[in-house]
Amino acid sequence: MRRLLAALLLLASFALPALAVQPDEVLGDPVLESRARAISAELRCMVCQNQSIDDSDAPLARDLRLIVRERLKAGDSDRQVMDFMVARYGEFVLLRPVMSWRNALLWAAPVLVLVLGALAAFFGLKRRRAVAPQRLSADEEARFKKLLAEGEGAPPESR
């Protein structure tokens, strides 16, 4: 039982988030450090792409965290640090990009695809309903009934 409990505790420790910020990166001023952590949580790691630089342990993420801390120690505001990073790496560095005319199509694409799909389904169903099923002519109906009657009299193996 103790081994099972020890194994479960070991597995649970792997489920905890990894702390990527190294002790030598941490600023002495707790206010500046909390600002640095907040900014780092908003910046994308270029290597991991869906992790913030605060969560990533990639070497590039470490370099970006150090740049953020250097800029804060130099007296930059949070906005100035973010603007510096965007100027240097582009809007891709932001985990939550801002809405602008340059990326409006990316923001609108899901809605456009949904609307176009709904329109295609609507007009497809409308066209399908417009095509009425064709009735058999009198000759075709008589021939069909004759074939049915012949099929009913045939032995089961030939059906």
Side-chain angles (χ1 to χ4, degrees):
M1 188 64 171
R2 288 183 185 171
R3 287 184 183 180
L4 178 62
L5 184 59
L8 288 175
L9 287 174
L10 181 64
L11 287 174
S13 68
F14 290 130
L16 296 174
L19 299 175
V21 177
Q22 302 299 315
D24 63 327
E25 296 175 35
V26 178
L27 296 173
D29 183 0
V31 174
L32 279 181
E33 179 61 25
S34 68
R35 285 177 56 203
R37 295 298 293 263
I39 293 171
S40 296
E42 297 294 320
L43 297 173
R44 178 188 319 270
C45 174
M46 306 299 202
V47 176
C48 309
Q49 294 195 4
N50 281 333
Q51 273 187 323
S52 70
I53 63 171
D54 198 46
D55 297 330
S56 173
D57 58 352
L60 178 62
R62 176 183 165 80
D63 293 344
L64 294 176
R65 288 192 302 267
L66 291 174
I67 291 171
V68 166
R69 284 167 172 76
E70 287 173 12
R71 303 293 298 186
L72 289 175
K73 283 194 288 188
D76 285 1
S77 69
D78 294 2
R79 180 78 275 160
Q80 287 173 321
V81 173
M82 295 294 276
D83 290 343
F84 174 81
M85 298 302 266
V86 169
R88 193 170 201 186
Y89 297 102
E91 279 189 28
F92 185 72
V93 78
L94 300 176
L95 272 175
R96 290 183 283 167
V98 294
M99 176 68 169
S100 68
W101 288 109
R102 290 183 299 184
N103 60 15
L105 181 61
L106 292 175
W107 286 95
V111 175
L112 289 174
V113 168
L114 186 64
V115 168
L116 290 174
L119 287 173
F122 174 75
F123 286 116
L125 289 174
K126 188 177 177 182
R127 193 173 80 197
R128 179 179 273 175
R129 288 184 186 152
V131 177
Q134 294 182 349
R135 306 276 305 160
L136 296 176
S137 68
D139 291 337
E140 291 172 331
E141 198 167 331
R143 186 168 171 230
F144 179 69
K145 286 181 182 177
K146 180 180 173 189
L147 287 172
L148 279 178
E150 288 174 4
E152 289 176 2
E157 303 90 39
S158 65
R159 282 190 213 170

